[in-house]
Amino acid sequence: MKQILCICGSASENSSNLELLRRIEAAFSDTYGFVVYDELRNLPLFTPIRLKEGGAPSVQTLKQSVAAAHAVVISTPEYLHNIPAVLKNALEWMTESGELAYKPVLPITFTPAPPRGEYAMRSLLQSLTALKANVAAELPLYRSEMMDGNGLIALNEHHTELLRQALALL
């Protein structure tokens, strides 16, 4: 079974991006083994000096998780027309060590409604390109299209099929 690491790009403990990743895990757990990583807020700030020192245990855990996965799914909101600082920080920790090099990655922007997420996707793609990741597809998703009557994220047939096809590319 292909192991997929799902990284929540939000610093919020009640992130809708984390909820989305949990819904994906539940919907496709019969096909893939998922590990959901929601600890970006606990990583120390990247600096070249800290990189030379090897980084904190939390950095090593992230790097090991990425290295062990067959593929990575990153779901991120958009903050100020960009990816959140915690996600950029995490990616910077892998600059020299190369855990994402040639690894299949599915970037997802999960924002309130279109056109939100477009700038974050561009920013994320630039970082993934610099890290030599193998971007399988780009997937913009919107809460306005995925909320059920109780205010929870629901995967309808359309979204399930989109995700099935995107995950198959990994």
Side-chain angles (χ1 to χ4, degrees), residues 12-168:
S12 173
E13 292 181 20
N14 298 316
S15 167
S16 60
N17 279 267
L18 178 59
E19 183 182 346
L20 174 66
L21 290 173
R22 297 275 186 220
R23 298 280 186 240
I24 292 169
E25 177 184 30
F28 299 99
S29 62
D30 59 335
T31 309
Y32 304 99
F34 291 98
V35 174
V36 177
Y37 182 87
D38 181 34
E39 298 296 322
L40 295 186
R41 67 186 156 280
N42 296 322
L43 296 176
L45 182 63
F46 171 85
T47 66
I49 291 171
R50 287 183 178 154
L51 180 64
K52 288 179 184 173
E53 295 169 352
S58 58
V59 171
Q60 296 309 315
T61 298
L62 170 64
K63 288 180 173 188
Q64 290 167 358
S65 297
V66 172
H70 291 102
V72 177
V73 173
I74 300 172
S75 182
T76 184
E78 180 175 278
Y79 296 163
L80 297 172
H81 295 298
N82 213 320
I83 59 175
V86 294
L87 178 54
K88 180 73 163 115
N89 185 54
L91 296 174
E92 287 175 345
W93 277 110
M94 293 182 272
T95 298
E96 286 189 4
S97 50
E99 289 80 9
L100 281 170
Y102 311 107
K103 182 143 327 232
V105 177
L106 174 62
I108 299 173
T109 51
F110 190 52
T111 59
R116 293 262 315 262
E118 292 176 8
Y119 294 108
M121 182 62 78
R122 279 191 240 153
S123 176
L124 182 54
L125 291 173
Q126 287 177 340
S127 293
L128 292 172
T129 298
L131 293 168
K132 297 183 171 90
N134 180 10
V135 176
E138 303 170 27
L139 191 55
L141 297 173
Y142 306 102
R143 285 192 300 276
S144 61
E145 299 172 358
M146 298 180 74
M147 301 305 277
D148 67 12
N150 298 317
L152 300 173
I153 296 169
L155 299 180
N156 63 29
E157 288 180 35
H158 170 72
H159 293 110
T160 300
E161 185 56 30
L162 272 177
L163 287 161
R164 183 181 325 284
Q165 291 175 18
L167 290 170

